Amino acid sequence: MNTRLRNHLLLGFVALVGTGLLAVWFENDRPWFGWSMGSAWVALLYFALTLSIGPWRWLRGMPTGLSSFLRRDIGIWTALLALVHTGAGLQVHLGGDVPGQFFRRDEMSGELTGLLLNLAGIANYTGLIVAVILLLLLSLSNNMSLRRLGSQRWKSLQRLAYIAALLLPVHGLAYQWIERRPTIYVLIFGVCCLLVLGLQLTAWRRRRQQQPE
């Protein structure tokens, strides 16, 4: 069994079991809520690992390379879990009224009247952008894309992950507030985001310090 196949089997097993267990933990009377939450938390863990591997290896003096297979494989499962979360999450709110989660709906006529710009709307738009970015990165997570685009353009597109990383806390914290979730969940989410940010900033500062003036 080659290394990448072993990676995917392990990552897939953890994703399925973790999502399933958390789905049971978070299950309530809203259809799909448990699966939305379960896939969200496992995707958050995988995304944090994806963003941490590069700076961690660099800080330890290890070669990072253009595209670590482990980092790419974790990123693939991050995107798959994010898509599950997006699909399930859109069924949770407003009885599955997807347009109503992005546009204002007139209470009398039921017609869409404009963009939904309250906290729920902002949470949904940021979540959608993150999902689209991860879907794009998923489509690029193969050697064929790397060869066709060239290393420089491919790497530039991969950096869209940092935009997703900036938008993800907005999406997550907004829903923590909307749903009035327990403080412990907010703390876990916040600590996870801060650890990744701290690791990224530490690696960035070390690089700057080592650059010749």
Side-chain angles (χ1 to χ4, degrees):
M1 183 183 298
N2 64 45
T3 302
R4 293 205 68 191
L5 178 57
R6 187 164 57 246
N7 286 347
H8 280 294
L9 289 175
L10 178 59
L11 291 167
F13 176 78
V14 173
L16 292 173
V17 174
T19 299
L21 291 175
L22 289 172
V24 173
W25 175 268
F26 285 107
E27 184 179 9
N28 62 20
D29 57 349
R30 287 184 289 178
W32 295 100
F33 181 77
W35 290 104
S36 173
M37 293 293 291
S39 55
W41 282 103
V42 181
L44 174 66
L45 172 62
Y46 277 11
F47 196 29
L49 288 174
T50 303
L51 294 172
S52 300
I53 288 174
W56 174 258
R57 290 175 64 88
W58 190 88
L59 288 170
R60 299 199 55 167
M62 302 167 66
T64 56
L66 177 65
S67 174
S68 159
F69 281 129
L70 177 60
R71 180 170 53 193
R72 191 192 298 186
D73 294 341
I74 299 175
I76 288 171
W77 281 98
T78 301
L80 293 174
L81 286 163
L83 293 176
V84 172
H85 168 65
T86 301
L90 290 173
Q91 300 305 311
V92 171
H93 304 283
L94 301 180
D97 176 15
V98 176
Q101 297 176 54
F102 297 94
F103 300 93
R104 295 193 308 272
R105 191 180 289 281
D106 185 85
E107 295 182 1
M108 299 296 293
S109 66
E111 294 182 355
L112 303 176
T113 59
L115 295 178
L116 187 65
L117 298 177
N118 58 12
L119 187 59
I122 292 171
N124 291 334
Y125 282 119
T126 52
L128 180 62
I129 294 171
V130 171
V132 170
I133 289 175
L134 293 179
L135 180 59
L136 172 63
L137 297 182
L138 176 61
S139 70
L140 298 177
S141 295
N142 53 78
N143 292 333
M144 182 182 297
S145 295
L146 178 56
R147 288 193 298 269
R148 287 185 174 180
L149 293 171
S151 59
Q152 185 173 359
R153 185 181 300 175
W154 187 87
K155 189 63 177 178
S156 296
L157 289 171
Q158 289 294 318
R159 291 194 178 100
L160 289 172
Y162 295 114
I163 296 177
L166 291 174
L167 293 176
L168 180 60
V170 178
H171 170 74
L173 291 174
Y175 263 112
Q176 301 282 355
W177 178 265
I178 292 169
E179 298 274 331
R180 296 293 191 271
R181 288 173 185 155
T183 304
I184 185 63
Y185 298 152
V186 181
L187 290 176
I188 294 173
F189 183 85
V191 168
C192 185
C193 293
L194 289 174
L195 285 174
V196 174
L197 177 62
L199 191 59
Q200 288 280 344
L201 288 177
T202 300
W204 177 77
R205 289 183 62 185
R206 294 279 182 86
R207 288 193 186 98
R208 290 290 300 272
Q209 291 171 357
Q210 293 182 11
Q211 288 177 354
E213 296 183 0

